[in-house]
Amino acid sequence: MTASNLARALRAIVGDDGVLDGDEALLVYECDGYVLERGTPELVVLPRTPEEAARVVRLLAARQIAFVPRGAGTGLSGGTLPLDAPVMIGLSRLKAIETIDVRNRRVQVQAGVVNLNVSRAVKDDGLLYAPDPSSQAACTIGGNIAENSGGPHTLKYGVTVNHVLGVEIVLASGKVVQLGGATEDLPGYDLVGAAVGSEGTFGLITRATLRLVRAPQAFRTLLAVFARVDDASAAVSAIIAAGLVPAALEMMDTLILQAVEQAFGAGLPLDAGAVLLIELDGPEAGLDDEAALVETLCRRCASREVRRAASEAERALLWKCRKRAFGAVGRLARNYCTQDGVVPRTQLPEILRRITRTAERHRLRIGNVFHAGDGNIHPIILFDERDNDEVQRVLAAGREILEACVALGGSLSGEHGIGVEKIAQMPLLFAPDDLDAMLRLRRVFDPDQRANPHKVLPDSKSCIETRTPRRQAAM
Amino acid sequence: MNSPLDDTQLGSCVHCGLCLDACPTYLETGNEAASPRGRIHLMRALADRRLSAYAPVRNHLDSCLGCRACEAACPSGVPYGALIEATRPLLEAARPAPARFTRRTLGRLLSSRTPRELGWAVVGRAAGRGFVDRLARRTGSLALARLAALDPGPRPRLPDVFEPPGEVRGSAILLTGCVSDTAFRATTRYAGRLLALGGIRVTVPNHQGCCGALALHLGDDRAAEHHLAALLSATAGPHADWIVPMAAGCSAHLRHAGRHLPDNASAESFARRVIDPLALLAQLSLPAPRHSVVARVAVHDPCHLVHAQGVAAEVRRLLSTIPGVTLVPLSESEVCCGSAGTYNLTEGALARRLLARKLSHVAASGATIIAAPNPGCLLQIRSGAIRDDLPVEVVHPLELLGRAHGI
Ligand SMILES: Cc1cc2nc3c(=O)[nH]c(=O)nc-3n(C[C@H](O)[C@H](O)[C@H](O)COP(=O)(O)OP(=O)(O)OC[C@H]3O[C@@H](n4cnc5c(N)ncnc54)[C@H](O)[C@@H]3O)c2cc1C
Ligand code: SF4
Ligand code: SF4
């Protein structure tokens, strides 16, 4: 079947403007938030309803054509890069919040609904969708589920998998399956748990039932300023050791402070080695005591100053700085690439030291802004994509940092997923048997590997050594 | 030819996508080529010559409203407004001659005085009349509804000066732009009187002409420069503390006069004095309003006010001083209504979809009055409300304030 035939058949399902096949439109879809590798699909399809999406997949199945799902394209590991997948299915038109069940605290949404819009829709009912990736103003629930995304507040509330009750997936065969459902704790195997984080390799997620939590009654938001990163790391351990469970516990280092201060002018200390953004939430009673305890612990770890947000506006400004830090980095360099490794919390000082050494060795600037409470680091490597030598050094530094995380007893990815970016390092973390078991699980859902091929699990095609970095590098 | 697109400005986009959901055209189409990040990608491809400005490329860039919602959402400080302005002349140059000619003529007709006044002499007789209103509803015609939505004219001309009743605390020049001296004369009069009430001596220069924003929107950068230079000389007389354009599109444009006319010595100081009438009123101490307006009022936030100038809270603060007014929220109040200068005329289909989106939120808000602080938006939303027979009044906040102050 020729491309134009296929386009015609797809247009019959999704309408004329729902199939993009012009060079200029495809070019726009050549990468997501991970810009180091690029490649255009042959067609982009934008179904308008979950049912249309299922028909699209059935049509592709009948012709044995592989596809790659795309939400908002904010992914940071290249999950939407088409590798042997001619068709990209964009979920941006599946935007309906279908049912809101306030009493049972759950919502059913279509996959293209933007994360923040879920919380907005239930705000007046005093409810909240807890996972809050920093990209929440743009990223989709489908993408969140595919990546098992986290966010600053997942220290207390858990990541996406803890908040998904059920998903509807269109398997690559075109069959629509419902995993889980509206009830919590269904007996039997936890298939929802397996599907969350599958990065599009099980099929196309079209709907999800999400759990809502009560919005906290009150907050205390603190900013603790440290001269040295090590002291800030020690404070993180001290806070957790004291039995406190802050809603969020985030670190930003000097480089990041410079970027966000330039962007938002929040009066952050530019001479600090690191700051911790600490949030406590819950019922009003007792919060002040907890905040006082956090302050004492920070000061004991040589914090030179602990500020408290005095109003909702001040709190919002601090969070704006944190949540938009990645983007703000655009003010310091033309490009950035961020790693997403995890280490045991006690190893934070050590991994940060190793990152500094890596930066020096490869002559790169690396900033750190991350979920310190979870030990989930986000070193942000600054570079200029036009400098090919620098690009190679970035790739090497990224690999080194991930290997260090694994060596320190951690993992490759806290929340951004494996995608294409970290696929070559999977064997560092998993034995061949483990990888094989995962492959067999995947084949249960997608026997022919037509849903987002060559992702997550390494195969001969996906391995970075055989892939030319930046496949269509002419940017 | 070197690309006029600034490489550093283009490069400041890190492709994070945080701007996507702020963009009205992406919200409506779900097509990333009609999103800010996608358009920047296309501009970069034009600059790098990976693409030429052929028709589909132009379509995606033409469909940009220029609302700059993306700029407000972008953490990386990408100057999107400047980028799209620099791109538009490239698009014009690549357009087939007939289309280029039509667009240019449209821009010139709308921004020159004689044809506009001649047109108004005819249109003004039908404007705001009840029979047009009924006809618009019956036929569902937006064009007729637009006619019905205009301030009923003709009215006595605006005075040359609005004198403060008490102590003079400052001076301002009121810029009526392309439409506010005719189609929105009543609103303009309220602006003058309210500012005067706040102690500002307001002058309205004759023959001030267009500010050039329209021409720039249509990619005619030469005409835009010409208009701006003419406006600078028309307002060069006695010094005024403030320059107050009636339309947000004009003030957003004029605040960058220095960038548009780098060689003009007075442009920078002119630009610094530009302010929207509501933003200026919010800084003055007005007496308490004497009359009440009993209504549930929702505010629409014009793109060129909220995104380009950060003015939103001021409008609500002023309205809340009026006894009887209850402010109610309007969902997506800051998403474009589809009016966007000449967008209405050049990109009709998408403009209508954005209007429908706005009207559904208007209907759901439960407001009895929609306050729209910009003539273009006012006309767009009011005509939609007339056509669809919505039970709301769409009014400029200046008019509400004027009524409340009894002036
Ligand atoms: C500035 C910035 C900040 C970020 N902060 C965080 C953060 O704090 N925490 C965090 O976890 N992540 C963060 N991310 C990463 C990213 O936003 C998340 O991974 C997000 O969940 C991706 O959602 P998306 O809709 O953009 O998905 P996309 O990028 O479009 O896709 C991501 C992956 O999911 C798959 N996919 C998308 N939709 C579907 C679907 N419907 N069915 C099946 N597969 C699908 C794609 O194939 C791809 O593999 C950040 C990114 C940016 C740019
Ligand atoms: S314009 Fe700004 S917000 Fe949008 S993708 Fe580029 S950097 Fe991100
Ligand atoms: S100016 Fe408005 S329409 Fe244009 S890209 Fe930005 S947000 Fe979208």
Side-chain angles (χ1 to χ4, degrees):
Chain A
M1 162 167 262
T2 65
S4 67
N5 259 332
L6 177 63
R8 204 167 316 129
L10 288 168
R11 283 202 171 95
I13 301 174
V14 299
D16 279 347
D17 67 353
V19 176
L20 313 178
D21 54 0
D23 290 345
E24 74 297 330
L26 297 174
L27 187 72
V28 165
Y29 287 90
E30 70 176 350
C31 63
D32 48 28
Y34 175 70
V35 298
L36 279 173
E37 295 179 64
R38 299 167 190 224
T40 50
E42 287 169 31
L43 287 176
V44 177
V45 198
L46 305 173
R48 291 165 292 198
T49 60
E51 289 65 35
E52 279 187 8
R55 285 173 64 197
V56 166
V57 177
R58 272 202 293 283
L59 182 83
L60 298 178
R63 292 164 174 79
Q64 308 207 342
I65 296 171
F67 64 88
V68 49
R70 179 171 174 118
T74 67
L76 292 171
S77 54
T80 64
L81 183 75
L83 295 175
D84 283 348
V87 174
M88 179 177 280
I89 305 180
L91 282 303
S92 56
R93 293 183 173 177
L94 265 61
K95 282 197 171 282
I97 296 182
E98 295 182 331
T99 50
I100 300 180
D101 181 350
V102 174
R103 290 187 47 208
N104 292 303
R105 291 193 195 157
R106 61 193 179 211
V107 287
Q108 181 176 313
V109 301
Q110 296 180 351
V113 169
V114 166
N115 173 302
L116 190 58
N117 287 349
V118 179
S119 289
R120 277 204 190 123
V122 297
K123 183 164 180 258
D124 288 347
D125 299 306
L127 298 174
L128 177 74
Y129 177 61
D132 62 337
S134 303
S135 51
Q136 74 185 132
C139 63
T140 66
I141 291 296
N144 292 171
I145 296 177
E147 301 285 17
N148 191 14
S149 297
H153 289 84
T154 50
L155 177 59
K156 176 166 176 180
Y157 293 97
V159 290
T160 299
V161 72
N162 306 110
H163 299 270
V164 178
L165 296 171
V167 286
E168 176 182 281
I169 303 189
V170 185
L171 302 182
S173 63
K175 188 170 174 205
V176 179
V177 297
Q178 313 284 343
L179 306 180
T183 353
E184 311 236 2
D185 301 323
L186 286 174
Y189 298 118
D190 180 11
L191 295 178
V192 177
V196 176
S198 59
E199 302 193 23
T201 61
F202 283 12
L204 190 69
I205 298 162
T206 45
R207 284 193 171 94
T209 307
L210 307 175
R211 197 152 67 86
L212 302 170
V213 299
R214 264 248 313 267
Q217 185 190 17
F219 302 95
R220 295 291 179 278
T221 308
L222 293 85
L223 187 84
V225 183
F226 297 85
R228 296 173 344 125
V229 171
D230 277 8
D231 296 336
S233 306
V236 171
S237 294
I239 291 168
I240 306 272
L244 292 169
V245 186
L249 186 40
E250 304 281 309
M251 196 188 298
M252 295 188 261
D253 74 2
T254 315
L255 200 64
I256 300 299
L257 286 171
Q258 279 169 10
V260 294
E261 192 51 28
Q262 249 186 53
F264 310 116
L268 299 175
L270 290 175
D271 56 341
V275 301
L276 288 180
L277 179 59
I278 307 154
E279 184 155 284
L280 302 156
D281 71 5
E284 180 64 47
L287 269 190
D288 277 323
D289 295 344
E290 284 190 21
L293 178 56
V294 166
E295 195 168 330
T296 314
L297 293 168
C298 287
R299 290 203 188 275
R300 230 178 260 161
C301 295
S303 166
R304 70 165 201 234
E305 184 192 353
V306 182
R307 302 182 191 170
R308 261 194 221 196
S311 63
E312 182 51 37
E314 279 185 36
R315 170 176 180 251
L317 183 60
L318 285 176
W319 277 113
K320 185 171 173 183
C321 289
R322 166 59 190 93
K323 291 209 167 175
R324 299 207 182 173
F326 284 2
V329 161
R331 293 169 194 257
L332 300 184
R334 196 177 172 100
N335 303 90
Y336 72 84
C337 135
T338 172
Q339 294 292 340
D340 174 40
V342 184
V343 293
R345 217 167 19 239
T346 48
Q347 296 286 9
L348 274 180
E350 178 57 24
I351 189 71
L352 293 172
R353 271 194 292 276
R354 292 199 190 184
I355 291 170
T356 310
R357 282 206 297 276
T358 298
E360 283 163 5
R361 197 163 38 245
H362 293 284
R363 288 171 288 124
L364 293 166
R365 283 196 295 165
I366 305 186
N368 289 287
V369 46
F370 60 98
H371 314 309
D374 305 316
N376 183 189
I377 59 165
H378 288 332
I380 301 187
I381 315 180
L382 310 187
F383 67 102
D384 185 332
E385 67 188 353
R386 294 165 302 184
D387 179 345
N388 203 34
D389 176 60
E390 192 169 56
V391 170
Q392 297 309 319
R393 282 182 278 133
V394 170
L395 289 170
R399 281 197 294 269
E400 238 173 78
I401 294 171
L402 289 182
E403 284 164 19
C405 289
V406 176
L408 291 173
S411 146
L412 297 173
S413 170
E415 55 185 22
H416 297 167
I418 299 300
V420 295
E421 184 208 13
K422 292 173 281 256
I423 202 162
Q425 280 80 28
M426 284 294 270
L428 291 178
L429 196 57
F430 297 106
D433 281 355
D434 299 336
L435 290 173
D436 189 54
M438 284 193 248
L439 183 62
R440 275 183 283 141
L441 176 62
R442 175 191 177 160
R443 285 202 176 126
V444 172
F445 290 90
D446 180 18
D448 303 323
Q449 304 193 52
R450 279 203 311 267
N452 212 1
H454 312 301
K455 302 287 168 65
V456 187
L457 302 175
D459 58 30
S460 58
K461 179 102 186 180
S462 62
C463 184
I464 197 144
E465 272 74 28
T466 60
R467 237 170 40 228
T468 30
R470 313 182 64 222
R471 36 198 54 235
Q472 293 188 359
M475 242 339 228
Chain B
M1 184 190 77
N2 254 337
S3 163
L5 290 170
D6 182 311
D7 188 58
T8 317
Q9 289 184 348
L10 278 175
S12 62
C13 172
V14 291
H15 221 259
C16 66
L18 290 198
C19 51
L20 258 59
D21 225 50
C23 174
T25 58
Y26 175 73
L27 282 178
E28 256 320 297
T29 63
N31 182 344
E32 286 201 37
S35 79
R37 178 174 68 177
R39 291 190 177 112
I40 292 168
H41 213 75
L42 292 175
M43 293 180 208
R44 204 188 294 199
L46 285 175
D48 295 348
R49 296 174 196 221
R50 291 176 79 189
L51 289 176
S52 63
Y54 58 93
V57 177
R58 289 200 304 273
N59 291 345
H60 296 310
L61 294 165
D62 282 344
S63 73
C64 169
L65 297 150
C67 71
R68 294 166 65 184
C70 48
E71 213 171 288
C74 173
S76 183
V78 175
Y80 182 88
L83 282 170
I84 190 76
E85 265 168 23
T87 307
R88 286 201 168 114
L90 286 182
L91 305 178
E92 285 319 301
R95 221 180 281 285
R100 192 162 67 227
F101 178 75
T102 315
R103 290 168 70 92
R104 188 153 294 195
T105 313
L106 178 67
R108 299 214 164 148
L109 270 180
L110 286 173
S111 44
S112 47
R113 195 175 177 91
T114 319
R116 215 168 55 229
E117 297 216 320
L118 280 177
W120 180 246
V122 181
V123 168
R125 296 195 183 278
R129 296 292 184 77
F131 74 90
V132 189
D133 197 293
R134 285 190 297 276
L135 202 59
R137 260 201 293 278
R138 191 148 349 118
T139 56
S141 154
L142 194 61
L144 282 176
R146 211 163 266 149
L147 194 56
L150 292 166
D151 269 0
R155 294 263 181 105
R157 295 197 65 83
L158 291 172
D160 294 334
V161 184
F162 292 91
E163 291 287 354
E167 190 197 339
V168 179
R169 299 204 193 92
S171 57
I173 292 177
L174 201 60
L175 297 186
T176 54
C178 306
V179 289
S180 296
D181 60 339
T182 45
F184 291 95
R185 198 172 281 169
T187 312
T188 311
R189 191 184 312 273
Y190 280 124
R193 288 179 178 167
L194 284 164
L195 289 170
L197 193 63
I200 304 288
R201 186 172 189 274
V202 182
T203 51
V204 191
N206 277 320
H207 305 294
Q208 38 177 271
C210 170
C211 69
L214 258 180
L216 200 64
H217 196 88
L218 288 165
D220 194 349
D221 49 345
R222 294 246 308 284
E225 279 172 24
H226 170 79
H227 281 304
L228 183 53
L231 179 65
L232 286 183
S233 30
T235 54
H239 172 86
D241 302 323
W242 305 105
I243 310 286
V244 184
M246 284 303 295
C250 307
S251 46
H253 174 62
L254 292 173
R255 281 157 67 106
H256 295 288
R259 190 178 81 219
H260 296 301
L261 287 182
D263 300 331
N264 187 314
S266 57
E268 196 49 63
S269 110
F270 177 91
R272 272 198 302 275
R273 289 177 287 149
V274 172
I275 188 167
D276 180 81
L278 287 155
L280 180 52
L281 277 175
Q283 293 178 16
L284 305 173
S285 46
L286 292 173
R290 288 182 291 148
H291 306 282
S292 63
V293 177
V294 180
R296 283 193 307 279
V297 181
V299 181
H300 158 76
D301 289 304
C303 308
H304 284 110
L305 213 51
V306 62
H307 304 309
Q309 309 183 58
V311 175
E314 291 88 336
V315 184
R316 290 166 178 78
R317 212 161 53 233
L318 284 167
L319 289 175
S320 66
T321 63
I322 303 178
V325 163
T326 313
L327 287 175
V328 298
L330 177 67
S331 301
E332 297 193 348
S333 70
E334 72 303 336
V335 173
C336 183
C337 61
S339 167
T342 53
Y343 195 86
N344 242 321
L345 306 172
T346 54
E347 302 285 325
L350 204 47
R352 279 191 294 277
R353 282 167 68 178
L354 288 169
L355 175 59
R357 190 179 179 103
K358 181 61 70 182
L359 291 175
S360 74
H361 291 310
V362 164
S365 71
T368 50
I369 292 184
I370 300 294
N374 181 47
C377 311
L378 179 67
L379 189 57
Q380 173 87 341
I381 302 174
R382 188 189 277 168
S383 38
I386 290 177
R387 182 199 58 192
D388 296 357
D389 208 4
L390 296 180
V392 292
E393 200 187 344
V394 186
V395 195
H396 200 296
L398 287 170
E399 184 173 340
L400 288 178
L401 286 164
R403 283 191 215 161
H405 283 281
I407 54 175

